[in-house]
Structures are given as structure tokens and as C-alpha cells.
Amino acid sequence: MSKTTIALEAAVTIVIENTPKDAKQTARQRAEVDRAFARILKLIAPRIRHFIRQYGLTAHWDDAEQCCAIAVHRAIQAYEPEKAQFTTFVNWQIRGELQSLRFRLMTDQRPSAKKVEATTVSLSAIAISPDGEEMSPEAMIEDEDALARTEAAASDYLADGAIGSLIDAYVDHLRTVGIEQLRRRPRPKREEAALRREGPRLRLATHGIDPAELEKLEAKLQRDREIVARRVFQASTLDDLSLETGITKERIRQITKRAAKTIAEIAIADPRFSVMAEYGQPATARRRQPAAAPAASILPDPKLPHNRLARVEAVGPAALAQAAATASKDAEAETVEAIHLPGPAVSPSASLH
């Protein structure tokens, strides 16, 4: 970015920070906003002069400058840094304001308008606000449901694309199965001999299959595709499909039942349709958490063969204290017995030597 663009971004940031939306603006904040706004006008003054000359409003310079100041104010209010730089917002606002001023001041001065005696009317002059000021088309035309409709249309577009891909995968599966069945059909001996005479070469999956049989298979696949698309995904009635395709309602029901099962298997196996596979599961199955593993026990497994004769008893604090007292008494008795055991006699003279 250039130095001017960086300075503009900094000044606009000051204006936005000192313009609270939910609180009253203080005198210090108003002074900061005025200084930053004056700096913005000084930085874009060359741009304003260029646009005034471009739109041929040099004879109405003061009015054009006032319109440009209004455009700068509106650009600050509509500024969104994540979408574009401030220069982009202010350029379009200045262009719009100067274009509106030119229409108001020079309504029918263009040569083409004079030639056909046309009268040009500004859209901004159609409506007047309660304060007596002209309202812009943006203020007059507000569609609160536009975002919801746009998101719904985008969702429908993505869903239609996913459904089309899923049906294509199903038709490809049917084509593969049908070609394999045609290839395994017994052929006359003449055809077998002709195929052997051709010798080894790169053979396609349809090698040796009658083209007429392939055409019949493709026609059947197109018919099944239409039936599945309309019956499974568009909820067409059996009567309508039977009248249009010439197939019995029972046969249509069989085709759609088999198709629904195969399509579900394809959606589970193909990672492209993982979202659709998860959506098709019941809510309870999706929310069910995996069962926690049983906690490891410190006790031996009584079911094992070498633990069948083992017995584990729970010992309380009183039993532990009693066992400790018994052990201490046994240890004292062993010590006393060791002291009183008879040993070899030792004479005093022997000990001296």
C-alpha cells in the first residue's frame, strides 16, 4: 500500500474508534473525529478534484465539494476492512454523489437528450423523507429476506449438484453390472471364432458385445435414471410416471426400491457423499456415544481355570489391626525363645585367653 492509503486507513480507524454506537459521544471524541475527518479530506483532495473535472462539474465546484464530503462520510459509515480498502469504498461513493449532482444540475443538457427532447429524472427524486429530503434508492428499496433467499438458493444448488452426482454414480454402477452380464452371455460359435482370429490386443469392457444390446442397455439406464430422479428425489406419483413411461406401477415401485437401497450403499462407501450418509442415519444413532471400555480390575479373573480354586476375601480395618497385633506377639515369642535356648558352656579362663 502507498503512504496515502496507509494514512487514510489510520485516519478512518480513528473516526470509527471515536464514534460509539451505543453510547453518547464525548467532546473529546468529537474533536478527534473532526481532526481525523479534516485529514481524510486533505489526503483525498487530489482525487476529489480529478472526479469533479471528470464529471464536468467545474462550474459548480462548491456544490461538488460538498457532495464529495458527504460521500466520504457515507464511505466511513459503510467501511468494512475485511472486504476492501477504504479507497475502494470512497471512490464509488464519490462517483455516485457526483453523478447524482450532475443529473440534478444538468438534466437535459446532453446532446442525445436534446435531439430526442427527452427529460431525465433522477431516481433519488422519486421519494421524499419525512424531513423533506430526497431518499436514495438504497434507502427506498430494502429486502429483509434477501439474505435468507440467497442462502436457500445456494443450498438448493449444492443439493441438486450432490443429487445429480449420486444418481450418476448409481447409473454407472448399473452400467457396469449390465455390461458384465452381457459379456457373460453365451455367444454363437461364429462370433467366438471371429474373436479368436483377432488375436491379442487392448480390449475394452464392451469388446465382443453386440452394439444393439449396448444401445438397449443405455436406453434402459436413461429410463431408470428418470424414474429414480423423479420418484426418489422429486416425489412424483406412481400414476404420473406410469402414464409417461408406459411401465406398470409395480415395476416402478420395484425399480425405486432397489435404487434407494443401492444409492444408500453408494453414499456410505463413497467419501464424496459422507455428509449425505450421516444425514440419512437416525438422530439417535448419530448422537449415540461409543460405550466406555470397562475399567481394569486389580482382582484376578475368577473365570480363568487357574483361578477357580482361589478365594478373595475383603479385610476390614479391625481385622487388619488384629492380624498386626497377632504378628507382633508371635515375633516377641520367637525372640524370647531364642534368648533362653541352651548354648555351649564357656569358662572364664578360656575367655581371658
Side-chain angles (χ1 to χ4, degrees):
M1 293 189 296
S2 62
K3 294 182 179 180
T4 303
T5 304
I6 296 173
L8 274 175
E9 296 286 342
V12 172
T13 302
I14 293 174
V15 173
I16 295 175
E17 289 177 352
N18 290 277
T19 307
K21 296 181 180 180
D22 301 331
K24 186 177 180 180
Q25 192 178 34
T26 63
R28 184 185 295 276
Q29 289 177 335
R30 284 195 296 270
E32 292 289 339
V33 169
D34 292 341
R35 283 195 293 268
F37 192 80
R39 180 167 176 76
I40 293 172
L41 292 179
K42 183 178 180 181
L43 289 171
I44 65 172
R47 194 187 306 263
I48 291 174
R49 291 194 293 268
H50 167 73
F51 283 132
I52 291 175
R53 295 190 187 96
Q54 185 181 18
Y55 282 89
L57 295 172
T58 54
H60 309 276
W61 196 273
D62 294 338
D63 293 337
E65 285 187 339
Q66 291 296 325
C67 288
C68 291
I70 295 173
V72 173
H73 179 68
R74 290 179 176 176
I76 294 174
Q77 290 181 336
Y79 178 49
E80 296 182 10
E82 63 275 4
K83 291 186 177 180
Q85 297 178 355
F86 178 73
T87 52
T88 303
F89 284 85
V90 76
N91 283 347
W92 286 107
Q93 287 290 346
I94 291 174
R95 286 175 177 271
E97 292 295 333
L98 292 179
Q99 181 73 11
S100 177
L101 178 63
R102 185 170 68 174
F103 279 154
R104 290 196 298 268
L105 296 177
M106 299 178 291
T107 305
D108 301 319
Q109 300 302 317
R110 294 174 297 172
S112 58
K114 290 181 179 180
K115 184 177 180 179
V116 298
E117 298 181 357
T119 301
T120 305
V121 179
S122 174
L123 290 175
S124 300
I126 294 178
I128 304 297
S129 66
D131 300 334
E133 298 180 356
E134 296 178 354
M135 296 177 61
S136 63
E138 292 82 2
M140 295 163 50
I141 304 172
E142 293 184 359
D143 191 355
E144 298 179 354
D145 300 329
L147 180 60
R149 287 203 304 272
T150 302
E151 293 178 349
S155 177
D156 293 341
Y157 175 78
L158 295 175
D160 292 340
I163 290 172
S165 300
L166 191 57
I167 295 177
D168 291 339
Y170 170 68
V171 173
D172 292 340
H173 169 73
L174 292 183
R175 183 180 292 108
T176 303
V177 173
I179 290 175
E180 184 65 21
Q181 291 177 352
L182 292 176
R183 192 174 62 82
R184 292 182 178 181
R185 279 186 181 180
R187 289 187 290 268
K189 295 182 179 180
R190 293 181 180 178
E191 294 184 6
E192 291 287 346
L195 291 175
R196 293 194 192 98
R197 287 196 299 269
E198 289 182 1
R201 66 173 186 175
L202 180 62
R203 297 181 178 179
L204 302 176
T206 58
H207 176 70
I209 301 177
D210 187 2
E213 296 290 339
L214 291 176
E215 291 181 1
K216 292 181 181 179
L217 176 62
E218 288 297 331
K220 179 177 177 297
L221 292 178
Q222 292 299 327
R223 183 203 66 185
D224 290 354
R225 178 190 180 89
E226 181 181 0
I227 291 174
V228 171
R230 295 183 56 184
R231 178 61 180 168
V232 177
F233 296 100
Q234 298 179 10
S236 296
T237 61
L238 292 174
D239 295 332
D240 294 341
L241 291 175
S242 179
L243 291 174
E244 294 178 11
T245 59
I247 306 174
T248 62
K249 293 187 289 185
E250 178 61 23
R251 179 56 181 161
I252 293 175
R253 189 188 65 79
Q254 294 174 0
I255 292 173
T256 53
K257 182 179 179 181
R258 184 177 66 249
K261 181 180 179 181
T262 307
I263 286 174
E265 294 175 354
I266 293 173
I268 295 173
D270 196 330
R272 295 180 301 168
F273 311 112
S274 57
V275 176
M276 301 175 69
E278 293 177 0
Y279 180 78
Q281 296 177 359
T284 55
R286 292 198 302 268
R287 295 176 182 174
R288 187 182 299 126
Q289 300 295 331
S297 176
I298 61 174
L299 299 177
D301 188 0
K303 296 180 181 180
L304 296 177
H306 60 276
N307 291 331
R308 289 178 181 176
L309 300 178
R311 186 178 62 181
V312 179
E313 295 182 358
V315 180
L320 287 176
Q322 184 178 359
T326 304
S328 61
K329 289 180 180 179
D330 294 341
E332 291 177 359
E334 291 178 359
T335 305
V336 172
E337 290 178 0
I339 292 174
H340 293 286
L341 285 176
V346 180
S347 63
S349 58
S351 61
L352 292 175
H353 295 286

mmCIF file with all atom_site columns, all heavy atoms in Angstrom, residues 338-353:
data_model
loop_
_atom_site.group_PDB
_atom_site.id
_atom_site.type_symbol
_atom_site.label_atom_id
_atom_site.label_alt_id
_atom_site.label_comp_id
_atom_site.label_asym_id
_atom_site.label_entity_id
_atom_site.label_seq_id
_atom_site.pdbx_PDB_ins_code
_atom_site.Cartn_x
_atom_site.Cartn_y
_atom_site.Cartn_z
_atom_site.occupancy
_atom_site.B_iso_or_equiv
_atom_site.pdbx_formal_charge
_atom_site.auth_seq_id
_atom_site.auth_comp_id
_atom_site.auth_asym_id
_atom_site.auth_atom_id
_atom_site.pdbx_PDB_model_num
ATOM 1   N N   . ALA A 1 338 ? 14.535 -67.537 71.564 1.00 0.00 ? 338 ALA A N   1
ATOM 2   C CA  . ALA A 1 338 ? 15.940 -67.510 71.108 1.00 0.00 ? 338 ALA A CA  1
ATOM 3   C C   . ALA A 1 338 ? 16.874 -67.126 72.245 1.00 0.00 ? 338 ALA A C   1
ATOM 4   O O   . ALA A 1 338 ? 18.002 -67.600 72.348 1.00 0.00 ? 338 ALA A O   1
ATOM 5   C CB  . ALA A 1 338 ? 16.076 -66.536 69.934 1.00 0.00 ? 338 ALA A CB  1
ATOM 6   N N   . ILE A 1 339 ? 16.443 -66.280 73.175 1.00 0.00 ? 339 ILE A N   1
ATOM 7   C CA  . ILE A 1 339 ? 17.298 -65.856 74.289 1.00 0.00 ? 339 ILE A CA  1
ATOM 8   C C   . ILE A 1 339 ? 17.513 -67.019 75.272 1.00 0.00 ? 339 ILE A C   1
ATOM 9   O O   . ILE A 1 339 ? 18.599 -67.247 75.792 1.00 0.00 ? 339 ILE A O   1
ATOM 10  C CB  . ILE A 1 339 ? 16.683 -64.639 75.002 1.00 0.00 ? 339 ILE A CB  1
ATOM 11  C CG1 . ILE A 1 339 ? 16.745 -63.432 74.057 1.00 0.00 ? 339 ILE A CG1 1
ATOM 12  C CG2 . ILE A 1 339 ? 17.417 -64.339 76.301 1.00 0.00 ? 339 ILE A CG2 1
ATOM 13  C CD1 . ILE A 1 339 ? 16.036 -62.216 74.594 1.00 0.00 ? 339 ILE A CD1 1
ATOM 14  N N   . HIS A 1 340 ? 16.464 -67.788 75.561 1.00 0.00 ? 340 HIS A N   1
ATOM 15  C CA  . HIS A 1 340 ? 16.526 -68.863 76.561 1.00 0.00 ? 340 HIS A CA  1
ATOM 16  C C   . HIS A 1 340 ? 17.019 -70.188 76.013 1.00 0.00 ? 340 HIS A C   1
ATOM 17  O O   . HIS A 1 340 ? 17.033 -71.169 76.721 1.00 0.00 ? 340 HIS A O   1
ATOM 18  C CB  . HIS A 1 340 ? 15.131 -69.058 77.194 1.00 0.00 ? 340 HIS A CB  1
ATOM 19  C CG  . HIS A 1 340 ? 14.717 -67.881 78.018 1.00 0.00 ? 340 HIS A CG  1
ATOM 20  N ND1 . HIS A 1 340 ? 15.261 -67.615 79.267 1.00 0.00 ? 340 HIS A ND1 1
ATOM 21  C CD2 . HIS A 1 340 ? 13.792 -66.904 77.774 1.00 0.00 ? 340 HIS A CD2 1
ATOM 22  C CE1 . HIS A 1 340 ? 14.702 -66.514 79.754 1.00 0.00 ? 340 HIS A CE1 1
ATOM 23  N NE2 . HIS A 1 340 ? 13.812 -66.062 78.867 1.00 0.00 ? 340 HIS A NE2 1
ATOM 24  N N   . LEU A 1 341 ? 17.410 -70.264 74.758 1.00 0.00 ? 341 LEU A N   1
ATOM 25  C CA  . LEU A 1 341 ? 17.916 -71.535 74.230 1.00 0.00 ? 341 LEU A CA  1
ATOM 26  C C   . LEU A 1 341 ? 19.259 -71.873 74.876 1.00 0.00 ? 341 LEU A C   1
ATOM 27  O O   . LEU A 1 341 ? 20.118 -70.985 75.031 1.00 0.00 ? 341 LEU A O   1
ATOM 28  C CB  . LEU A 1 341 ? 18.083 -71.431 72.699 1.00 0.00 ? 341 LEU A CB  1
ATOM 29  C CG  . LEU A 1 341 ? 16.774 -71.481 71.886 1.00 0.00 ? 341 LEU A CG  1
ATOM 30  C CD1 . LEU A 1 341 ? 17.095 -71.266 70.424 1.00 0.00 ? 341 LEU A CD1 1
ATOM 31  C CD2 . LEU A 1 341 ? 16.082 -72.825 72.105 1.00 0.00 ? 341 LEU A CD2 1
ATOM 32  N N   . PRO A 1 342 ? 19.527 -73.175 75.287 1.00 0.00 ? 342 PRO A N   1
ATOM 33  C CA  . PRO A 1 342 ? 20.824 -73.547 75.922 1.00 0.00 ? 342 PRO A CA  1
ATOM 34  C C   . PRO A 1 342 ? 21.944 -73.497 74.900 1.00 0.00 ? 342 PRO A C   1
ATOM 35  O O   . PRO A 1 342 ? 21.781 -73.946 73.768 1.00 0.00 ? 342 PRO A O   1
ATOM 36  C CB  . PRO A 1 342 ? 20.576 -74.968 76.430 1.00 0.00 ? 342 PRO A CB  1
ATOM 37  C CG  . PRO A 1 342 ? 19.462 -75.480 75.562 1.00 0.00 ? 342 PRO A CG  1
ATOM 38  C CD  . PRO A 1 342 ? 18.584 -74.331 75.226 1.00 0.00 ? 342 PRO A CD  1
ATOM 39  N N   . GLY A 1 343 ? 23.093 -72.943 75.294 1.00 0.00 ? 343 GLY A N   1
ATOM 40  C CA  . GLY A 1 343 ? 24.266 -72.870 74.418 1.00 0.00 ? 343 GLY A CA  1
ATOM 41  C C   . GLY A 1 343 ? 25.488 -73.530 75.034 1.00 0.00 ? 343 GLY A C   1
ATOM 42  O O   . GLY A 1 343 ? 25.453 -73.993 76.181 1.00 0.00 ? 343 GLY A O   1
ATOM 43  N N   . PRO A 1 344 ? 26.625 -73.625 74.386 1.00 0.00 ? 344 PRO A N   1
ATOM 44  C CA  . PRO A 1 344 ? 27.851 -74.244 74.922 1.00 0.00 ? 344 PRO A CA  1
ATOM 45  C C   . PRO A 1 344 ? 28.400 -73.451 76.109 1.00 0.00 ? 344 PRO A C   1
ATOM 46  O O   . PRO A 1 344 ? 28.350 -72.207 76.096 1.00 0.00 ? 344 PRO A O   1
ATOM 47  C CB  . PRO A 1 344 ? 28.785 -74.232 73.729 1.00 0.00 ? 344 PRO A CB  1
ATOM 48  C CG  . PRO A 1 344 ? 28.273 -73.141 72.838 1.00 0.00 ? 344 PRO A CG  1
ATOM 49  C CD  . PRO A 1 344 ? 26.812 -73.122 73.024 1.00 0.00 ? 344 PRO A CD  1
ATOM 50  N N   . ALA A 1 345 ? 28.894 -74.207 77.142 1.00 0.00 ? 345 ALA A N   1
ATOM 51  C CA  . ALA A 1 345 ? 29.452 -73.547 78.359 1.00 0.00 ? 345 ALA A CA  1
ATOM 52  C C   . ALA A 1 345 ? 30.789 -72.954 78.048 1.00 0.00 ? 345 ALA A C   1
ATOM 53  O O   . ALA A 1 345 ? 31.644 -73.609 77.431 1.00 0.00 ? 345 ALA A O   1
ATOM 54  C CB  . ALA A 1 345 ? 29.547 -74.548 79.504 1.00 0.00 ? 345 ALA A CB  1
ATOM 55  N N   . VAL A 1 346 ? 31.031 -71.773 78.494 1.00 0.00 ? 346 VAL A N   1
ATOM 56  C CA  . VAL A 1 346 ? 32.332 -71.061 78.237 1.00 0.00 ? 346 VAL A CA  1
ATOM 57  C C   . VAL A 1 346 ? 32.913 -70.693 79.611 1.00 0.00 ? 346 VAL A C   1
ATOM 58  O O   . VAL A 1 346 ? 32.229 -70.048 80.413 1.00 0.00 ? 346 VAL A O   1
ATOM 59  C CB  . VAL A 1 346 ? 32.106 -69.808 77.391 1.00 0.00 ? 346 VAL A CB  1
ATOM 60  C CG1 . VAL A 1 346 ? 33.441 -69.119 77.168 1.00 0.00 ? 346 VAL A CG1 1
ATOM 61  C CG2 . VAL A 1 346 ? 31.450 -70.163 76.091 1.00 0.00 ? 346 VAL A CG2 1
ATOM 62  N N   . SER A 1 347 ? 34.132 -71.156 79.920 1.00 0.00 ? 347 SER A N   1
ATOM 63  C CA  . SER A 1 347 ? 34.770 -70.849 81.199 1.00 0.00 ? 347 SER A CA  1
ATOM 64  C C   . SER A 1 347 ? 35.384 -69.482 81.161 1.00 0.00 ? 347 SER A C   1
ATOM 65  O O   . SER A 1 347 ? 35.786 -69.008 80.105 1.00 0.00 ? 347 SER A O   1
ATOM 66  C CB  . SER A 1 347 ? 35.863 -71.911 81.494 1.00 0.00 ? 347 SER A CB  1
ATOM 67  O OG  . SER A 1 347 ? 36.856 -71.829 80.495 1.00 0.00 ? 347 SER A OG  1
ATOM 68  N N   . PRO A 1 348 ? 35.530 -68.824 82.344 1.00 0.00 ? 348 PRO A N   1
ATOM 69  C CA  . PRO A 1 348 ? 36.125 -67.511 82.400 1.00 0.00 ? 348 PRO A CA  1
ATOM 70  C C   . PRO A 1 348 ? 37.558 -67.526 81.951 1.00 0.00 ? 348 PRO A C   1
ATOM 71  O O   . PRO A 1 348 ? 38.001 -66.603 81.277 1.00 0.00 ? 348 PRO A O   1
ATOM 72  C CB  . PRO A 1 348 ? 35.984 -67.123 83.848 1.00 0.00 ? 348 PRO A CB  1
ATOM 73  C CG  . PRO A 1 348 ? 34.857 -67.934 84.374 1.00 0.00 ? 348 PRO A CG  1
ATOM 74  C CD  . PRO A 1 348 ? 34.926 -69.228 83.647 1.00 0.00 ? 348 PRO A CD  1
ATOM 75  N N   . SER A 1 349 ? 38.308 -68.604 82.296 1.00 0.00 ? 349 SER A N   1
ATOM 76  C CA  . SER A 1 349 ? 39.716 -68.648 81.896 1.00 0.00 ? 349 SER A CA  1
ATOM 77  C C   . SER A 1 349 ? 39.867 -68.711 80.393 1.00 0.00 ? 349 SER A C   1
ATOM 78  O O   . SER A 1 349 ? 40.743 -68.116 79.791 1.00 0.00 ? 349 SER A O   1
ATOM 79  C CB  . SER A 1 349 ? 40.380 -69.840 82.548 1.00 0.00 ? 349 SER A CB  1
ATOM 80  O OG  . SER A 1 349 ? 39.708 -71.034 82.172 1.00 0.00 ? 349 SER A OG  1
ATOM 81  N N   . ALA A 1 350 ? 39.002 -69.455 79.767 1.00 0.00 ? 350 ALA A N   1
ATOM 82  C CA  . ALA A 1 350 ? 39.059 -69.572 78.309 1.00 0.00 ? 350 ALA A CA  1
ATOM 83  C C   . ALA A 1 350 ? 38.797 -68.245 77.640 1.00 0.00 ? 350 ALA A C   1
ATOM 84  O O   . ALA A 1 350 ? 39.383 -67.892 76.630 1.00 0.00 ? 350 ALA A O   1
ATOM 85  C CB  . ALA A 1 350 ? 38.066 -70.647 77.844 1.00 0.00 ? 350 ALA A CB  1
ATOM 86  N N   . SER A 1 351 ? 37.881 -67.500 78.264 1.00 0.00 ? 351 SER A N   1
ATOM 87  C CA  . SER A 1 351 ? 37.544 -66.207 77.648 1.00 0.00 ? 351 SER A CA  1
ATOM 88  C C   . SER A 1 351 ? 38.708 -65.242 77.790 1.00 0.00 ? 351 SER A C   1
ATOM 89  O O   . SER A 1 351 ? 38.918 -64.377 76.958 1.00 0.00 ? 351 SER A O   1
ATOM 90  C CB  . SER A 1 351 ? 36.285 -65.644 78.278 1.00 0.00 ? 351 SER A CB  1
ATOM 91  O OG  . SER A 1 351 ? 36.485 -65.427 79.657 1.00 0.00 ? 351 SER A OG  1
ATOM 92  N N   . LEU A 1 352 ? 39.521 -65.393 78.913 1.00 0.00 ? 352 LEU A N   1
ATOM 93  C CA  . LEU A 1 352 ? 40.661 -64.480 79.078 1.00 0.00 ? 352 LEU A CA  1
ATOM 94  C C   . LEU A 1 352 ? 41.727 -64.741 78.055 1.00 0.00 ? 352 LEU A C   1
ATOM 95  O O   . LEU A 1 352 ? 42.456 -63.850 77.665 1.00 0.00 ? 352 LEU A O   1
ATOM 96  C CB  . LEU A 1 352 ? 41.197 -64.600 80.493 1.00 0.00 ? 352 LEU A CB  1
ATOM 97  C CG  . LEU A 1 352 ? 40.302 -64.097 81.628 1.00 0.00 ? 352 LEU A CG  1
ATOM 98  C CD1 . LEU A 1 352 ? 40.928 -64.391 82.949 1.00 0.00 ? 352 LEU A CD1 1
ATOM 99  C CD2 . LEU A 1 352 ? 40.039 -62.609 81.448 1.00 0.00 ? 352 LEU A CD2 1
ATOM 100 N N   . HIS A 1 353 ? 41.893 -66.052 77.751 1.00 0.00 ? 353 HIS A N   1
ATOM 101 C CA  . HIS A 1 353 ? 42.917 -66.380 76.779 1.00 0.00 ? 353 HIS A CA  1
ATOM 102 C C   . HIS A 1 353 ? 42.465 -66.098 75.383 1.00 0.00 ? 353 HIS A C   1
ATOM 103 O O   . HIS A 1 353 ? 43.227 -66.190 74.454 1.00 0.00 ? 353 HIS A O   1
ATOM 104 C CB  . HIS A 1 353 ? 43.329 -67.846 76.905 1.00 0.00 ? 353 HIS A CB  1
ATOM 105 C CG  . HIS A 1 353 ? 43.991 -68.127 78.222 1.00 0.00 ? 353 HIS A CG  1
ATOM 106 N ND1 . HIS A 1 353 ? 45.283 -67.713 78.519 1.00 0.00 ? 353 HIS A ND1 1
ATOM 107 C CD2 . HIS A 1 353 ? 43.547 -68.777 79.355 1.00 0.00 ? 353 HIS A CD2 1
ATOM 108 C CE1 . HIS A 1 353 ? 45.616 -68.103 79.726 1.00 0.00 ? 353 HIS A CE1 1
ATOM 109 N NE2 . HIS A 1 353 ? 44.566 -68.748 80.297 1.00 0.00 ? 353 HIS A NE2 1
#
